[in-house]
Amino acid sequence: MEILTDQRFRKTFKYLRALFFAALIMLGISILLVIGILVYAKVLGPPPLTVPQSSLIMADDGTVIGESHNGEKRYWARLEDMSPELISATIAIEDKSFYEHNGFDYKRIAGAALADLKAMAKVQGASTITQQYARNLFLAHEKTWKRKLREAFYTIRLEMNYTKDEILEGYLNTIYYGNGAYGAQAASQFYFGKDTGELTLAEASMLAGIPKGPSIYSPLSSLEKAKSRQKIILTTMHEDGYIQKADIETALNEQITIIGEHPHNQTETAPYFQDAVRSALKNQLKLDERTIETGGLKVYTTLDLKQQKMAEDTVEKNLSSESDIQTGLVAMDPKTGHVKALVGGRDYEKSSFNRAIQAVRQPGSTIKPLLYYAALENGFTPATMVRSEPTTFRFDDGRAEYSPHNFNSKYADGEITMMQALALSDNIYAVKTHLFLGEDTLVDTVKKFGISSEMAEVPSLALGTSGIRVIELAGAYSMLANGGKDVSPVLITKVENHKGEIIYENKNRTEQILKPDLAFVTAHMMTGIFDRRLNGYTSVTGSTLSDELTRPYAGKSGSTETDSWMAGFSPQLVTAVWTGYDQGQKIELAADKVYAKDIWAEFMEEAHKGLPVKGFKSPKGTVGVYIEPESGLLATQNCPVKRLTYFVSGTEPTEYCSSHLPQYEESEQKPDDHKEERSEEDVPWFRKFFRW
């Protein structure tokens, strides 16, 4: 009996020893496995925290005009910018030991397991904030062991590589609050119409209750259930020491206004401008499309909402609804290049083709100010005379001919000045000047003005036969308006990433490209297109607009068989307008030929309302004298028409006009002092206040 007992004891001992060693081995394996997991997690490094976030496009006053996202409205907010009450409410109801545990709340897990065991069902969750954040970032919400194991692994990686505040910030910016609002900032704006940093205790406690079941606890779904959940959260906050007991009743009795609307739905605002901004982000800033659309960017632009509406309203008002004529308009500040308004067509829904920045069209006579700037650089003056008459130019020993024509075949049949030629848009003067300078001169000058479109070295280039873009012409005229400084069209002033870091900021360039004196002389000549009488002609190209204009402008119109242009500026604003058919059909109707002028004049007048009336300030090295336009000589008191004209100092005429002196007094008459007051005849009222 004793022997049998001893055998049983030894057998039991061996079994227990084997079991012990097996347990020891299993423990060792488990420890090694845990160490291996931790080492592997450390080797992998921090998991990426990037999530799709809405990118916002803003006007120059900070108003959001556009938003892009993948269906999830999310605007990242820093933890320090969030309401402390929202942070406390979230921690109290979701994970009260958040700052104490290492990603897993083992006590809570055990409690949840016991509760589930008693109920024989899943009745209590034990996920920490870190676990929920891992799930939101990397995993689907399926209930499988594989998903749970992956969730645990990502939780370890998050806790190993990020601070608690970084994890909490990420969680609050990724959790779903219902109604398409992802993250606390989007939810706060949707439900209460305010930023998350402005939430009251009542609002914060109600918002913190929504993620448990957005379709149940949203105040838009059931205000009663939302209030019930809010009370639970407030009570928990009191138990955890975040608030006083009196705060509970105060918050519960607070009248909360529910908005229930996302704030950034103005995607229809300036759609052509928004497209241009996205193109600039991609092609100039070299950002990829995913970053642009869902990278949480804040794009600050130059758009002036008031001027944009003026431009759109003016286009709609002036273009006939029965016409298929299209348009492109760009308005910009000549000092900074900031594009203040942009219209790329009549209806974005019907055609998103941006005619302001994509269409390349013949500019016609709007190219002539650039030609005459080049002429001034090469010794011409506003009084340089060239004969205007029907002319045939022959090339290649007579094998090629070119016969340009003036509008309506009207010619001076005599010599005219450059000032007259520009105002009257005389084509013979332009072609002769172009050929005299050499065909490559205008090509080089156009590049100097910032126009990158290809130019053909042909005689007709002087008449604008090589296509350019509307935005290019606006940029070129800006250089004349600002005294010759390099100014490229600017759409974006600053771009911030989702962290609020500046990744791009525009720096205004002030490089002097043109000669200031010649730029001013050219700009001043361009004011002549609005004069009622510049010589024997009854009108100049802009005379039909004179009655509509209430301040000084410089400008130039242009037309081809298929294109109609008007561009011009004040010291404060440059605007270029094109009208025509998309497919290049001829503009046949007379009414269709004046659209560009009418749009330009009305928009410029509207855009300048409330602004001080400014004239163009003459720079050093220029002198203004009164000229008799027909002769190009200094005017006398007997000249019926005289115009103040600016020259580079030393190039002004020194002879006086004698064409209008009475015969019997000719030998005795003294020339009029050309610096005295000019004649008031046919002078618009506003010019009386600005003696050029």
Side-chain angles (χ1 to χ4, degrees):
M1 187 70 180
E2 291 180 1
I3 295 173
L4 184 61
T5 303
D6 186 55
Q7 288 178 342
R8 287 179 177 177
F9 175 77
R10 284 198 295 268
K11 188 176 181 180
T12 303
F13 177 76
K14 287 180 181 179
Y15 174 76
L16 291 174
R17 186 174 62 178
L19 188 62
F20 172 76
F21 281 116
L24 197 62
I25 291 171
M26 290 298 296
L27 179 62
I29 293 173
S30 299
I31 291 173
L32 290 175
L33 182 62
V34 171
I35 293 173
I37 291 173
L38 294 176
V39 171
Y40 182 54
K42 192 65 177 178
V43 170
L44 287 178
L49 303 183
T50 54
V51 293
Q53 298 176 41
S54 301
S55 289
L56 301 178
I57 300 176
M58 286 164 280
D60 63 353
D61 63 354
T63 301
V64 175
I65 61 172
E67 176 182 6
S68 58
H69 53 80
N70 65 346
E72 299 181 2
K73 287 181 176 288
R74 180 185 287 111
Y75 320 113
W76 200 272
R78 297 181 303 174
L79 193 64
E80 57 264 34
D81 295 332
M82 294 184 186
S83 162
E85 287 79 10
L86 177 63
I87 295 171
S88 301
T90 301
I91 292 174
I93 198 63
E94 294 291 342
D95 187 0
K96 62 179 62 186
S97 300
F98 172 71
Y99 280 101
E100 283 74 47
H101 62 63
N102 61 356
F104 304 96
D105 190 337
Y106 301 106
K107 182 178 178 181
R108 190 175 173 192
I109 291 173
L114 287 173
D116 293 347
L117 189 61
K118 288 180 180 179
M120 298 301 292
K122 183 72 174 176
V123 296
Q124 186 173 319
S127 294
T128 62
I129 282 177
T130 311
Q131 288 176 279
Q132 293 182 60
Y133 185 31
R135 188 187 314 142
N136 293 337
L137 281 176
F138 310 112
L139 305 169
H141 286 258
E142 57 187 2
K143 295 183 178 181
T144 65
W145 283 108
K146 181 179 179 181
R147 195 271 295 167
K148 288 182 179 295
L149 290 172
R150 293 183 66 198
E151 177 186 298
F153 184 65
Y154 277 116
T155 299
I156 292 170
R157 290 182 66 190
L158 287 172
E159 288 282 345
M160 288 180 70
N161 293 283
Y162 295 100
T163 67
K164 286 290 188 178
D165 283 350
E166 287 174 327
I167 294 170
L168 182 58
E169 178 179 304
Y171 170 79
L172 286 167
N173 278 291
T174 55
I175 196 72
Y176 183 51
Y177 287 88
N179 293 283
Y182 288 79
Q185 177 69 2
S188 179
Q189 291 181 345
F190 175 79
Y191 288 108
F192 309 116
K194 59 177 67 174
D195 291 334
T196 180
E198 302 171 333
L199 294 176
T200 65
L201 174 61
E203 293 166 338
S205 55
M206 180 172 286
L207 192 63
I210 296 175
K212 182 177 176 61
S215 62
I216 300 172
Y217 298 110
S218 164
L220 294 176
S221 300
S222 171
L223 185 58
E224 181 182 352
K225 290 180 180 179
K227 294 288 289 183
S228 176
R229 177 75 173 163
Q230 178 195 36
K231 185 175 182 179
I232 293 173
I233 292 172
L234 288 168
T235 302
T236 305
M237 290 177 72
H238 169 59
E239 292 172 352
D240 292 345
Y242 289 114
I243 59 175
Q244 301 296 319
K245 189 170 184 179
D247 296 329
I248 298 177
E249 290 303 317
T250 301
L252 290 174
N253 293 326
E254 181 179 318
Q255 186 69 34
I256 298 177
T257 301
I258 305 299
I259 304 299
E261 183 177 328
H262 290 289
H264 308 315
N265 291 321
Q266 308 99 314
T267 52
E268 71 277 5
T269 302
Y272 290 105
F273 181 85
Q274 289 192 47
D275 277 0
V277 167
R278 291 187 176 93
S279 177
L281 289 170
K282 180 179 179 181
N283 299 316
Q284 296 176 22
L285 276 61
K286 305 302 180 183
L287 299 177
D288 61 85
E289 291 188 9
R290 186 171 182 272
T291 300
I292 294 170
E293 296 301 320
T294 60
L297 302 179
K298 287 186 178 180
V299 184
Y300 298 86
T301 76
T302 59
L303 188 74
D304 184 308
L305 287 173
K306 291 181 180 179
Q307 290 191 21
Q308 179 65 27
K309 188 174 189 310
M310 291 174 191
E312 293 174 353
D313 290 347
T314 302
V315 166
E316 183 178 3
K317 175 183 175 182
N318 283 277
L319 294 183
S320 171
S321 58
E322 299 178 358
S323 173
D324 291 329
I325 284 275
Q326 278 291 353
T327 187
L329 178 152
V330 173
M332 57 188 284
D333 184 332
K335 293 181 181 178
T336 61
H338 289 184
V339 174
K340 312 308 291 184
L342 187 149
V343 177
R346 299 179 65 169
D347 190 332
Y348 183 83
E349 294 298 324
K350 292 181 179 179
S351 171
S352 62
F353 180 66
N354 197 329
R355 297 154 189 87
I357 63 172
Q358 292 177 288
V360 179
R361 306 300 293 247
Q362 294 182 347
S365 293
T366 58
I367 204 73
K368 289 176 181 175
L370 281 59
L371 169 66
Y372 294 145
Y373 173 86
L376 293 174
E377 279 193 316
N378 287 273
F380 282 60
T381 77
T384 297
M385 307 289 283
V386 172
R387 188 170 184 81
S388 172
E389 60 185 357
T391 305
T392 297
F393 299 91
R394 292 179 172 82
F395 308 91
D396 299 330
D397 297 325
R399 290 192 296 272
E401 295 183 349
Y402 175 54
S403 302
H405 300 282
N406 280 348
F407 179 69
N408 288 339
S409 297
K410 290 185 178 181
Y411 305 89
D413 291 323
E415 291 189 332
I416 59 173
T417 65
M418 183 193 292
M419 176 179 61
Q420 289 174 302
L422 183 59
L424 300 168
S425 203
D426 189 277
N427 289 337
I428 306 303
Y429 192 111
V431 175
K432 285 183 175 180
T433 302
H434 176 51
L435 295 176
F436 176 82
L437 297 175
E439 294 173 350
D440 60 332
T441 300
L442 181 54
V443 173
D444 294 338
T445 301
V446 165
K447 292 179 181 177
K448 188 184 297 185
F449 274 86
I451 295 175
S452 59
S453 296
E454 291 293 325
M455 297 286 118
E457 293 186 14
V458 294
S460 62
L461 180 60
L463 308 184
T465 53
S466 287
I468 66 173
R469 297 171 175 82
V470 177
I471 198 166
E472 289 182 309
L473 186 62
Y477 276 25
S478 290
M479 294 180 68
L480 293 173
N482 69 22
K485 292 182 175 64
D486 180 20
V487 54
S488 299
V490 175
L491 301 170
I492 302 169
T493 57
K494 185 173 66 173
V495 179
E496 294 179 355
N497 63 16
H498 70 281
K499 296 180 180 178
E501 300 166 340
I502 298 174
I503 61 174
Y504 168 79
E505 191 165 16
N506 178 67
K507 306 293 184 183
N508 290 328
R509 294 181 295 176
T510 57
E511 184 182 358
Q512 190 73 40
I513 301 297
L514 309 180
K515 296 179 180 179
D517 50 358
L518 300 185
F520 172 76
V521 170
T522 304
H524 188 261
M525 283 196 296
M526 293 170 70
T527 65
I529 78 161
F530 303 113
D531 285 355
R532 291 179 178 277
R533 286 172 57 191
L534 196 57
N535 64 354
Y537 289 87
T538 56
S539 65
V540 290
T541 55
S543 61
T544 56
L545 303 178
S546 295
D547 290 339
E548 302 176 39
L549 306 179
T550 59
R551 63 178 67 213
Y553 298 107
K556 187 71 189 77
S557 60
S559 61
T560 68
E561 289 185 339
T562 58
D563 304 277
S564 180
W565 294 74
M566 181 65 206
F569 51 89
S570 71
Q572 298 117 308
L573 188 67
V574 175
T575 301
V577 180
W578 165 86
T579 56
Y581 294 99
D582 280 339
Q583 304 305 320
Q585 303 102 303
K586 287 185 178 181
I587 301 177
E588 303 283 2
L589 299 176
D592 291 349
K593 296 179 180 180
V594 298
Y595 284 142
K597 287 183 179 180
D598 292 343
I599 291 171
W600 180 87
E602 184 173 330
F603 171 75
M604 288 293 277
E605 284 294 296
E606 286 294 319
H608 281 83
K609 283 182 178 178
L611 297 179
V613 179
K614 291 186 177 181
F616 299 95
K617 187 178 180 181
S618 58
K620 292 181 180 179
T622 59
V623 60
V625 295
Y626 284 104
I627 295 295
E628 195 282 313
E630 194 166 355
S631 67
L633 301 176
L634 298 174
T636 71
Q637 63 184 8
N638 297 96
C639 293
V641 179
K642 60 182 79 171
R643 189 179 195 277
L644 182 60
T645 305
Y646 278 86
F647 296 79
V648 174
S649 298
T651 66
E652 69 272 17
T654 56
E655 296 182 34
Y656 289 87
C657 171
S658 60
S659 301
H660 307 97
L661 297 177
Q663 290 253 328
Y664 61 89
E665 292 182 356
E666 190 167 345
S667 60
E668 301 177 3
Q669 180 69 40
K670 293 182 180 180
D672 185 23
D673 182 351
H674 59 275
K675 292 185 179 179
E676 290 182 4
E677 187 68 25
R678 66 182 288 191
S679 169
E680 299 295 313
E681 182 180 5
D682 292 322
V683 179
W685 68 267
F686 62 84
R687 294 189 186 277
K688 298 175 184 178
F689 294 95
F690 288 91
R691 303 303 180 185
W692 296 94

